[in-house]
Amino acid sequence: EAEVAQSPRYKITEKSQAVAFWCDPISGHATLYWYRQILGQGPELLVQFQDESVVDDSQLPKDRFSAERLKGVDSTLKIQPAELGDSAMYLCASSTGQGPSYEQYFGPGTRLTVT
Amino acid sequence: AQSVTQLGSHVSVSEGALVLLRCNYSSSVPPYLFWYVQYPNQGLQLLLKYTSAATLVKGINGFEAEFKKSETSFHLTKPSAHMSDAAEYFCAVSLYNQGGKLIFGQGTELSVKP
C-alpha cells in the first residue's frame, strides 16, 4: 500500500539553527499539505500546495518558515532560524485533489525538538 | 469561522465498555466532518467522515458517528472497547470553499483498562 514518506523522523536542533524536513507524497497526489502539531493540540495547517503552486500559506510564519514543491512532487519545509516554540510534530499529508471530499493521507511525521 | 470543540481531553473506559468521544462544531455552512486516530509517534489515520449522504456514518475498527445538525455534534462511538483502541482521537471539520483544509479539535486521549 502506498504511503506518504517523511524524513527525518526525529530531529534535535539548537535554537537559531536551520532545519529542513522532507516529504514524498503518494504517487499521483496533486495536493500536498504541511501541518504542525504542538504537543497536546490538534494539527494546524501551515501550507497547502496544488501541484507546485501554493494554495494557502496564511498560517505559515514567513519570517522564518519556507516551503517549496519545485516539481510538484516532493516537498521541503525549512525553518531558519529555529526557535524554542517550534518544537512540535510536523505532519505531511497528500490527496488526489483539493476539497474535503478527497481523503488526506498522512505521513508518520517529523518530531522536532529545539533546545 | 469554523471551529471544533472536543469535550474531555482524556477519557478512560474498561475493556468491553462503550466508547463515547464528544465533538461539537461551529460552522456557518454545512461542513464535512471527520474523525482521525493517532497512535504514539505516528501520523493520523482516517476513521470515518461525514459528507451529507447519511447522518449515521460507519467507519473502520467498529467505530461510528452520528451527525446531529440541531446539536451541531458529531460524537464518535464504539459499542465495545478493545485494548488496541487506546490512542488519541481528533475530530476535524472542512469546508468545500476552503480547499480541503482540515481544522482539528484539540484531541481526546482514550485509555482502555483491562
Side-chain angles (χ1 to χ4, degrees):
Chain A
E1 183 177 315
E3 296 180 341
V4 176
Q6 289 188 249
S7 67
R9 291 292 312 275
Y10 303 90
K11 180 71 177 179
I12 300 174
T13 191
E14 294 181 348
K15 65 178 182 178
S16 78
Q17 296 298 304
V19 64
F21 314 130
W22 177 78
C23 171
D24 190 11
I26 294 172
S27 178
H29 282 199
T31 310
L32 185 146
Y33 306 82
W34 282 102
Y35 290 88
R36 177 172 62 183
Q37 183 180 17
I38 296 171
L39 188 64
Q41 299 182 20
E44 292 183 304
L45 181 71
L46 289 175
V47 61
Q48 176 184 346
F49 290 92
Q50 180 65 24
D51 299 310
E52 66 277 7
S53 300
V54 173
V55 174
D56 183 351
D57 63 356
S58 58
Q59 299 303 309
L60 188 70
K62 299 181 186 64
D63 57 334
R64 297 185 300 108
F65 285 64
S66 64
E68 61 183 16
R69 194 183 183 200
L70 293 178
K71 297 183 179 179
V73 181
D74 58 337
S75 176
T76 302
L77 178 69
K78 298 179 181 177
I79 308 174
Q80 183 175 17
E83 296 181 353
L84 295 177
D86 297 332
S87 294
M89 174 80 91
Y90 290 82
L91 294 164
C92 179
S94 69
S95 62
T96 55
Q98 294 188 71
S101 59
Y102 295 94
E103 180 175 345
Q104 293 184 30
Y105 294 83
F106 284 80
T110 295
R111 180 166 295 284
L112 173 67
T113 301
V114 182
T115 62
Chain B
Q2 65 273 20
S3 65
V4 176
T5 301
Q6 291 183 239
L7 300 177
S9 58
H10 292 89
V11 170
S12 181
V13 301
S14 297
E15 192 173 20
L18 171 71
V19 175
L20 171 60
L21 304 182
R22 300 178 186 274
C23 172
N24 288 88
Y25 69 91
S26 171
S27 174
S28 58
V29 297
Y32 287 70
L33 294 161
F34 307 80
W35 275 100
Y36 284 84
V37 62
Q38 185 179 35
Y39 297 98
N41 293 315
Q42 294 187 26
L44 281 71
Q45 180 183 11
L46 181 66
L47 280 176
L48 50 80
K49 66 178 179 182
Y50 167 75
T51 60
S52 78
T55 57
L56 183 62
V57 182
K58 294 187 183 298
I60 62 172
N61 302 338
F63 285 94
E64 62 182 36
E66 185 173 9
F67 173 70
K68 292 187 176 181
K69 184 177 180 180
S70 61
E71 299 177 6
T72 61
S73 69
F74 190 57
H75 301 333
L76 181 71
T77 61
K78 182 174 180 178
S80 178
H82 192 272
M83 297 296 290
S84 61
D85 295 326
E88 187 93 20
Y89 291 80
F90 292 94
C91 181
V93 65
S94 182
L95 300 184
Y96 191 80
N97 62 352
Q98 293 195 356
K101 172 174 75 174
L102 291 168
I103 295 173
F104 289 88
Q106 76 275 23
T108 297
E109 183 179 359
L110 175 66
S111 300
V112 182
K113 299 175 292 185

